[in-house]
Structures are given as C-alpha cells and as structure tokens.
C-alpha cells in the first residue's frame, strides 16, 4: 500500500462527479483508492496487475498537482510515458523569487508554458510551487532542461530557440500536436 498527499482543492477533481474519476482510476490501474477528504491523504492498494499498481501513485500525484484526470491517465496508455515534478521552491531564494520564477515559467498570457507543450508534445502544468510534466522520456527531458534554463535566468529567446531545435530533432520536422 502506498500513500499520496493531495491538496484539499484537488480532492474533488480526484474523486470526480459521483466518484466517476476515482472509479476510472481504480478500474484502469487495478487499484483501490481510499481517499480521506479531510486531510487529503490517499491510500493506494494494488488489487490487480502490480505494474499498473506502481503507476497509480503517479496518476494520483499528477491529478493532485493540477493535471486533468484524462491527462494523468495517459500514464497508463504507454509504458514510455512518465510523470515528473519540479519544485520551483528548490530553485528560489524566497517567496518573491519563487513568484517571479513561476511567472517566467508561465510566460506572458501562458505563452512559455504553451510553447513547452507545443514544441515537445508533453503536457505541462504549473500548480502552486510545482511544475509537472507528463510525456515520453525524451519530451520530459527537453521540458526539464528548458525549465532549468528559465529557473537559472536564461532569456526566454534562448529557451525558445532551444525548444525549437529540440522540436526539430524530436519530430524530424513533423508537428507533434494536432492543433
């Protein structure tokens, strides 16, 4: 059995309307979820395929860190998919610095975060003091590097150039997203 802490304001999303999201996670990941909506603690008990059961805590964690349940469930679709969480606080000197860096990661009107998604194919969510990434290993690696560049103070232009270059390497010119 594993335990995951989920922020109070994300418990409803994890449970879903009438428990629908919780049931879908339980069924697809072959686990039983025991959600304590008072303190945000989620106990995850594997009841089927142990490999699927090992992915369930990442699904719960991803929903807790701001991902839509269907994006988090993508972790089950392909064994190449992975979830990574970057704590912006670890790269910040204080609250103001954290707020500024979070703003740089989001970008004007969310453009920086959007570009990370568009150019890598990964899903990127910024929630609280964390940045979450769901994607294939190479996509996650590119987003992680772009995030580190921004957190280290690199100009956005340099980060966008890096993302463009990596996009061309990842896709050999094909567009990753269909939008």
């Amino acid at each position: 059995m594993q335990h995951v802490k989920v922020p109070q304001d994300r418990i409803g999303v994890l449970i879903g309307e009438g428990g629908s999201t919780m049931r879908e996670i339980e069924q697809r990941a072959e686990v039983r979820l025991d959600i304590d909506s008072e303190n945000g603690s989620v106990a995850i008990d594997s009841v089927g395929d142990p490999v699927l059961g090992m992915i369930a805590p990442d699904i719960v964690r991803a929903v807790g860190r701001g991902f839509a349940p269907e994006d988090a469930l993508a972790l089950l679709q392909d064994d190449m998919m992975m979830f990574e969480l970057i704590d912006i606080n670890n790269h910040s000197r204080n609250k103001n610095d954290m707020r500024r860096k979070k703003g740089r990661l989001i970008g004007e009107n969310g453009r920086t975060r959007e570009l990370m998604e568009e150019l890598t194919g990964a899903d990127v969510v910024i929630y609280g003091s964390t940045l979450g990434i769901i994607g294939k290993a190479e996509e996650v690696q590119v987003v992680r590097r772009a995030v580190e560049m921004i957190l280290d103070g690199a100009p956005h232009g340099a980060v966008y150039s890096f993302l463009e270059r990596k996009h061309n390497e990842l896709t050999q010119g094909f567009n990753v997203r269909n939008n």
Side-chain angles (χ1 to χ4, degrees), residues 23-89:
R23 277 193 305 278
E24 185 176 359
I25 294 170
E26 287 179 330
Q27 180 218 332
R28 290 186 49 198
E30 299 182 17
V31 293
R32 215 181 81 250
L33 300 180
D34 184 11
I35 302 171
D36 183 336
S37 46
E38 290 295 305
N39 67 10
S41 177
V42 180
I44 304 161
D45 200 10
S46 184
V47 294
D49 182 341
V51 175
L52 291 177
M54 286 170 38
I55 298 170
D58 276 348
I59 294 170
V60 171
R61 219 173 275 118
V63 171
R65 297 316 307 163
F67 281 94
E70 51 274 13
D71 291 339
L73 283 163
L75 290 165
L76 291 170
Q77 291 168 358
D78 181 346
D79 49 352
M80 299 306 289
M81 294 295 272
M82 59 186 284
F83 168 66
E84 184 160 327
L85 207 55
I86 298 171
D87 192 340
I88 303 166
N89 270 330

Side-chain angles (χ1 to χ4, degrees), residues 34-178:
D34 184 11
I35 302 171
D36 183 336
S37 46
E38 290 295 305
N39 67 10
S41 177
V42 180
I44 304 161
D45 200 10
S46 184
V47 294
D49 182 341
V51 175
L52 291 177
M54 286 170 38
I55 298 170
D58 276 348
I59 294 170
V60 171
R61 219 173 275 118
V63 171
R65 297 316 307 163
F67 281 94
E70 51 274 13
D71 291 339
L73 283 163
L75 290 165
L76 291 170
Q77 291 168 358
D78 181 346
D79 49 352
M80 299 306 289
M81 294 295 272
M82 59 186 284
F83 168 66
E84 184 160 327
L85 207 55
I86 298 171
D87 192 340
I88 303 166
N89 270 330
N90 293 345
H91 300 270
S92 308
R93 294 184 306 273
N94 53 41
K95 261 199 162 62
N96 279 344
D97 191 39
M98 200 278 287
R99 227 183 337 269
R100 185 181 63 76
K101 287 183 176 185
K102 186 175 163 182
R104 291 194 76 223
L105 288 167
I106 295 168
E108 196 170 332
N109 298 321
R111 191 67 188 129
T112 301
R113 187 196 63 77
E114 268 176 27
L115 270 175
M116 283 189 237
E117 286 190 332
E118 283 173 24
L119 294 174
T120 64
D123 287 310
V124 179
V125 170
I126 299 168
Y127 176 88
S129 63
T130 60
L131 180 140
I133 313 162
I134 291 180
K136 292 186 167 57
E138 60 275 10
E139 297 167 349
V140 170
Q141 186 182 352
V142 172
V143 173
R144 184 189 325 114
R145 183 69 195 112
V147 168
E148 287 167 357
M149 289 169 74
I150 291 170
L151 291 174
D152 289 343
H156 280 89
V159 177
Y160 297 162
S161 296
F162 166 77
L163 286 168
E164 288 278 352
R165 193 171 65 252
K166 289 300 184 181
H167 168 76
N168 290 335
E169 287 173 22
L170 285 172
T171 63
Q172 282 87 40
F174 295 104
N175 197 344
V176 190
R177 292 252 162 159
N178 299 338

